[in-house]
Amino acid sequence: MQYKENDITGIGNSNTAGRKFWRVAFAVYAISEALFIVISYLITYSKCKVCVLPIPFYITMFFINLLLTILLWYVLNYFHKQALWKIILGNIFIFVVYYFFIIGLLYLLLNSKQEWLVWPVKFRSFTSVVYDSWTEIGKYVVKLSAFYMLKFYTEFQRVGEQRIQLAVINKDMQLNLLKQQLSPHFYFNTLNNLYGLSRSNSSQLSVALSQLSNIMQYVIVDCNKPKVLLRQEINFLQSYIELEKLRYEKNTIIEMSVTGNVNSQTILPLLLIQFVENAFKHGMKEKSDRSWMRVSMNIDDNELLFTVENSFYDVTASHGIGINSVKHILNLQYEGRHDIQMRHEDNSFSVTLKLNL
């Protein structure tokens, strides 16, 4: 069984709101088009009664223009996030197709000899139709400008909403992580282990105290920044795992490996600890020879591949509040730059996170 997270939570609501916005925008455009036709007709009629065409012609062109607007906006929506050269070539191609289609259609309608649609006048040459098509070019420019203005507005609104969501979820995530991952239970267990080490005059005591100091420094001071260096997050995870290992038998497999070049990459603080804590909480038993956990990180330039594999006992491991919070954060902070997969097979559980830092 495999889980894959690619969508922003609540995107269905966002899509519904987006579709409603575009429907309203199109309705406004349709009204504007209708007003333009009515005003143009009245002005022309007041100056030259024989210059106007039958009303059905204008109604037909109105609906044709609305249909073409829908098609144009739909195609532009497909192109607008492509590479710049594709956008330029795409817009040139769309304009040429649109222009010659509308001119050809006008040519056919004006020479259709349908008296209910056009007056029975002399044949109109294709050249004359092209010469009189400046209004169609103007309409195309209006449709094109309207699309990009509306698209810019919707993108601006979406980014603003995501920033608000990110601020709220970031706050909730920080609280969840501090309460769950580094809860009083963690410190209580750690202090008990340190007490045991001091009673036996173990050489591990000074190392364990240093690791606890690193954790507290990171959580209390470093995590107040929006981003931290990746090496700080790695050092934090290593210290956390080493302290947790004190609770288990010496032959219990608990490993963490880091490969690749860690330079000046940055990451959201406390992003990865949830997966490690989740493995300890749901996959490790202190008095069991079947418990095991492996954490691996590979860094290739700005690409991070983070994997946690562990023994598995608790079927709720992938549905906790902490895991869901991390998914929300990934969707908002690393939208389009991450892929997370969770896999449960037999008595093992794994999480694989690919992240573009």
Side-chain angles (χ1 to χ4, degrees):
M1 185 174 182
Q2 183 175 350
Y3 305 87
K4 188 170 183 179
E5 184 70 28
N6 285 319
D7 300 322
I8 297 178
T9 299
I11 195 169
N13 293 334
S14 299
N15 283 342
T16 301
R19 286 192 293 268
K20 182 178 179 181
F21 172 83
W22 281 98
R23 284 197 295 267
V24 172
F26 181 77
V28 172
Y29 178 85
I31 294 171
S32 302
E33 178 85 16
L35 288 174
F36 174 81
I37 292 175
V38 170
I39 293 172
S40 298
Y41 179 89
L42 292 176
I43 292 175
T44 304
Y45 184 84
S46 65
K47 295 182 178 181
C48 177
K49 294 182 179 180
V50 297
C51 297
V52 296
L53 293 168
I55 291 178
F57 174 84
Y58 296 99
I59 295 175
T60 301
M61 291 305 301
F62 170 74
F63 286 106
I64 289 174
N65 269 292
L66 290 189
L67 178 60
L68 290 176
T69 302
I70 294 174
L71 292 174
L72 177 64
W73 285 5
Y74 180 83
V75 175
L76 288 174
N77 187 60
Y78 174 80
F79 274 102
H80 89 285
K81 284 189 177 181
Q82 302 295 318
L84 181 60
W85 68 271
K86 289 184 179 180
I87 295 176
I88 295 173
L89 291 179
N91 273 281
I92 293 173
F93 176 77
I94 294 169
F95 171 75
V96 171
V97 173
Y98 178 93
Y99 178 76
F100 282 101
F101 177 82
I102 195 70
I103 295 304
L105 188 63
L106 279 170
Y107 175 79
L108 293 174
L109 289 176
L110 292 172
N111 294 294
S112 64
K113 297 181 180 180
Q114 299 294 321
E115 293 186 7
W116 65 273
L117 193 63
V118 293
W119 303 130
V121 295
K122 66 179 181 177
F123 179 83
R124 293 177 175 84
S125 67
F126 188 80
T127 304
S128 66
V129 175
V130 172
Y131 181 79
D132 294 330
S133 66
W134 63 269
T135 54
E136 299 303 325
I137 297 176
K139 287 181 180 180
Y140 179 85
V141 173
V142 170
K143 294 174 183 179
L144 187 70
S145 302
F147 170 82
Y148 281 108
M149 285 189 293
L150 291 170
K151 202 66 181 177
F152 174 81
Y153 176 78
T154 55
E155 289 293 323
F156 180 80
Q157 290 290 99
R158 184 181 66 85
V159 171
E161 291 173 0
Q162 285 192 352
R163 285 177 178 171
I164 294 173
Q165 292 178 36
L166 180 60
V168 173
I169 295 175
N170 251 326
K171 181 179 179 181
D172 292 339
M173 182 186 179
Q174 294 294 331
L175 291 174
N176 283 332
L177 290 172
L178 291 177
K179 291 178 180 179
Q180 297 175 30
Q181 281 72 18
L182 300 177
S183 65
H185 293 288
F186 167 77
Y187 291 112
F188 179 77
N189 292 331
T190 299
L191 290 174
N192 270 341
N193 291 326
L194 293 177
Y195 176 73
L197 293 176
S198 67
R199 290 278 301 231
S200 61
N201 293 319
S202 172
S203 59
Q204 292 181 291
L205 179 61
S206 60
V207 176
L209 285 171
S210 177
Q211 290 164 345
L212 180 60
S213 175
N214 291 339
I215 287 177
M216 297 183 72
Q217 167 74 21
Y218 184 76
V219 172
I220 297 173
V221 179
D222 299 332
C223 288
N224 290 325
K225 303 173 185 177
K227 292 284 185 73
V228 296
L229 291 172
L230 180 59
R231 67 168 60 93
Q232 291 178 292
E233 182 84 358
I234 292 173
N235 292 336
F236 163 69
L237 289 176
Q238 289 173 331
S239 296
Y240 181 88
I241 290 173
E242 289 301 315
L243 286 179
E244 285 282 47
K245 284 170 66 174
L246 297 175
R247 297 163 47 198
Y248 300 91
E249 303 294 332
K250 290 184 178 181
N251 60 347
T252 302
I253 298 174
I254 302 176
E255 301 172 346
M256 177 174 175
S257 62
V258 180
T259 57
N261 296 319
V262 182
N263 299 313
S264 58
Q265 302 98 327
T266 59
I267 192 171
L268 205 68
L270 297 173
L271 181 66
L272 306 177
I273 183 61
Q274 173 61 47
F275 303 111
V276 177
E277 191 275 342
N278 203 59
F280 276 114
K281 182 177 180 181
H282 301 285
M284 302 291 290
K285 291 185 178 180
E286 294 183 24
K287 303 297 181 180
S288 173
D289 57 0
R290 294 185 301 161
S291 294
W292 58 274
M293 183 176 71
R294 293 184 179 90
V295 179
S296 64
M297 299 178 69
N298 181 67
I299 302 96
D300 184 8
D301 292 331
N302 285 326
E303 296 291 333
L304 170 66
L305 178 62
F306 177 74
T307 303
V308 180
E309 301 172 290
N310 55 273
S311 48
F312 185 77
Y313 298 101
D314 191 343
V315 294
T316 63
S318 62
H319 305 286
I321 296 175
I323 288 287
N324 288 330
S325 294
V326 174
K327 289 180 179 179
H328 290 316
I329 286 293
L330 286 169
N331 283 323
L332 291 172
Q333 189 71 16
Y334 295 96
E335 181 185 2
R337 296 190 289 134
H338 81 281
D339 179 73
I340 182 171
Q341 296 184 7
M342 300 181 183
R343 187 185 300 273
H344 175 212
E345 294 180 345
D346 299 327
N347 293 321
S348 67
F349 186 82
S350 67
V351 178
T352 300
L353 173 64
K354 295 179 182 178
L355 194 64
N356 186 332
L357 300 172

